[in-house]
Amino acid sequence: MEKTIIKDKLTRPLRDLRISVIDRCNFRCQYCMPADQFGPDFEFLPRSALLTYEEIVRVANIFVQLGVEKIRLTGGEPLLRRDLPTLVEKLAQIDGLADLALTTNGVLLPKLAWELKKAGLQRVNISLDSLDDKLFGKINGRGVAIGPVLAGIEAAKQAGLRIKINMVVKKGLNESEIIPMAKYCKANGLELRYIEFMDVGSTNGWKMDDVVTKRQIYELLEQHFELEPVTPAYYGEVAKLYRYKDQNINVGFITSVSESFCSSCTRARLSANGQIFTCLFNGNGHDIRNFMRNGATDEQLSERISTIWNGRDDRYSDERTAGINNDRKKIEMSYIGG
Ligand code: SAM
Ligand code: SF4
Ligand code: SF4
């Protein structure tokens, strides 16, 4: 398929698309959807507001024609969206798409992993912030123990999906789990990614003091393991990767706060209700759902998406690092998709 390469104002190409398929979740992780803010009365998007699978596939096709090679499904909790394997199957057939992945809390994987793999899903990132039942239950805000997530990891393994584990580290909360998680992942042949606690949205009470930086985590790891750096596999690789010297397994860091990577950020995000966001921290979404529902042709859609990308100049994390005041309307991670 002929691809058109489009670039933004900072000459960054469009390469990745994150699609949030739902804004609801069965967890209330305190760094993402704190239970006191996302209570029983919280108004989630009505079903009619969500993009249909046909609409998602149509938009995804156009994104791929404009240079996207990787698509990741996320949420909220994407496995809560009914018949997700049907969507995966349609996305997997898009000509020119090289990589189809999913981020999940893992709890529903025992039910769905096999079907997702059969539908064409290649990879899953499973979030797990602790191996301690009590602490994990506190973090996920629902008292869910680790058993269901471990069962999800096992199911993904059995189904033949490639797996990475995401661990958000927050000071005073789960630093004690940094080493146990490394040992668990290493022993089970799993690539672990430590994610710095980020200032997404406005409900998680983020403070710089709560961030455990890559450097701090790395120094701790070095006391237990011998590591060597791994050269990035491609332009725009977000994780800083290392390998255990005694075992061919990587461990990575998402350094959104301490070492920003905006200069090579090639990601667009599509929210569950059909808004395009050009940065995790830019709350100004661009509607394409109503545009489509009002009869836009594929050419018009393509033009609209190109215009949005061409006008992109976001570099929020770089600005935060440089101390530039970039206060602006923010958007919740559960809505935009992490
Ligand atoms: N529910 C799925 C899950 O938890 O994997 C997918 C959506 S979740 C928003 C995607 C990723 O974002 C998860 O790995 C989660 O840990 C991470 N995340 C959420 N809030 C975050 C924050 N404030 N800082 C850093 N990572 C965060
Ligand atoms: Fe749900 Fe994922 Fe957010 Fe946790 S991080 S509340 S599992 S969307
Ligand atoms: Fe990309 Fe925005 Fe994150 Fe920078 S702050 S890496 S532009 S999503």
Side-chain angles (χ1 to χ4, degrees):
M1 188 195 56
E2 269 301 295
K3 289 203 184 203
T4 316
I5 303 298
I6 57 170
K7 298 214 168 152
D8 70 8
K9 281 190 171 168
L10 305 176
T11 71
R12 297 167 296 191
L14 172 60
R15 288 265 185 267
D16 314 77
L17 177 64
R18 299 212 151 190
I19 304 176
S20 170
V21 293
I22 192 162
D23 59 337
R24 291 165 201 261
C25 188
N26 44 356
F27 278 9
R28 287 292 179 273
C29 301
Q30 47 176 276
Y31 50 71
C32 177
M33 296 176 82
D36 58 341
Q37 310 265 348
F38 291 81
D41 297 332
F42 186 83
E43 284 192 28
F44 289 100
L45 294 168
R47 203 181 159 78
S48 59
L50 301 184
L51 290 184
T52 64
Y53 285 173
E54 286 67 30
E55 288 169 333
I56 293 176
V57 173
R58 185 176 170 208
V59 178
N61 255 298
I62 292 171
F63 266 101
V64 172
Q65 284 162 19
L66 294 174
V68 162
E69 291 168 347
K70 298 177 169 202
I71 289 183
R72 175 174 297 279
L73 299 176
T74 176
E77 176 45 48
L79 300 186
L80 288 180
R81 178 91 188 240
R82 203 180 302 161
D83 295 331
L84 193 73
T86 311
L87 174 65
V88 167
E89 192 173 2
K90 290 182 179 152
L91 292 173
Q93 287 165 14
I94 296 178
D95 186 21
L97 182 67
D99 188 29
L100 184 55
L102 168 89
T103 305
T104 173
N105 62 32
V107 167
L108 292 170
L109 277 174
K111 213 170 107 194
L112 287 163
W114 177 248
E115 257 190 278
L116 288 166
K117 169 72 180 168
K118 209 170 86 192
L121 188 72
Q122 297 165 12
R123 306 190 292 118
V124 279
N125 282 36
I126 302 174
S127 305
L128 180 62
D129 303 321
S130 167
L131 287 167
D132 178 275
D133 278 334
K134 231 172 131 192
L135 179 57
F136 185 58
K138 183 178 153 198
I139 295 172
N140 66 49
R142 286 283 195 245
V144 179
I146 62 166
V149 182
L150 299 189
I153 295 172
E154 189 52 33
K157 236 186 212 174
Q158 293 300 328
L161 289 161
R162 279 154 54 208
I163 306 170
K164 285 175 192 157
I165 305 296
N166 286 357
M167 173 183 179
V168 175
V169 187
K170 185 177 170 195
K171 196 167 280 173
L173 185 67
N174 63 341
E175 292 151 295
S176 59
E177 293 297 294
I178 291 172
I179 297 303
M181 282 289 293
K183 286 184 178 165
Y184 164 79
C185 288
K186 189 168 182 273
N188 287 281
L190 298 164
E191 183 169 324
L192 172 62
R193 284 167 179 223
Y194 294 102
I195 305 178
E196 291 178 350
F197 174 43
M198 283 188 278
D199 48 340
V200 276
S202 47
T203 57
N204 69 9
W206 184 89
K207 296 192 299 303
M208 189 66 204
D209 283 354
D210 291 337
V211 178
V212 185
T213 63
K214 173 216 161 183
R215 196 195 166 104
Q216 291 165 331
I217 300 171
Y218 185 83
E219 282 174 4
L220 193 60
L221 285 180
E222 264 192 320
Q223 294 172 22
H224 297 259
F225 312 99
E226 279 197 69
L227 296 164
E228 58 193 8
V230 174
T231 324
Y234 54 88
Y235 172 79
E237 164 76 270
V238 167
K240 311 273 185 316
L241 290 178
Y242 294 80
R243 184 186 297 118
Y244 294 103
K245 279 191 180 166
D246 63 351
Q247 202 177 343
N248 191 17
I249 291 176
N250 291 346
V251 57
F253 301 86
I254 310 290
T255 59
S256 329
V257 180
S258 69
E259 294 173 28
S260 54
F261 38 78
C262 299
S263 61
S264 60
C265 177
T266 55
R267 285 179 188 182
R269 291 180 156 84
L270 178 63
S271 70
N273 61 347
Q275 300 219 328
I276 293 175
F277 290 88
T278 52
C279 171
L280 194 48
F281 301 93
N282 183 344
N284 296 318
H286 305 264
D287 166 75
I288 51 157
R289 183 196 63 195
N290 295 340
F291 192 52
M292 275 193 282
R293 292 185 184 172
N294 288 333
T297 63
D298 281 358
E299 288 67 34
Q300 287 169 328
L301 249 182
S302 176
E303 247 177 63
R304 180 129 177 177
I305 294 170
S306 303
T307 308
I308 292 167
W309 192 260
N310 291 151
R312 174 187 193 243
D313 62 358
D314 304 292
R315 44 189 291 279
Y316 178 92
S317 291
D318 279 359
E319 288 169 356
R320 185 209 301 107
T321 305
I324 297 170
N325 181 0
N326 53 6
D327 259 355
R328 48 176 139 163
K329 190 177 119 199
K330 288 211 212 151
I331 192 90
E332 297 304 318
M333 188 94 146
S334 52
Y335 171 76
I336 198 175

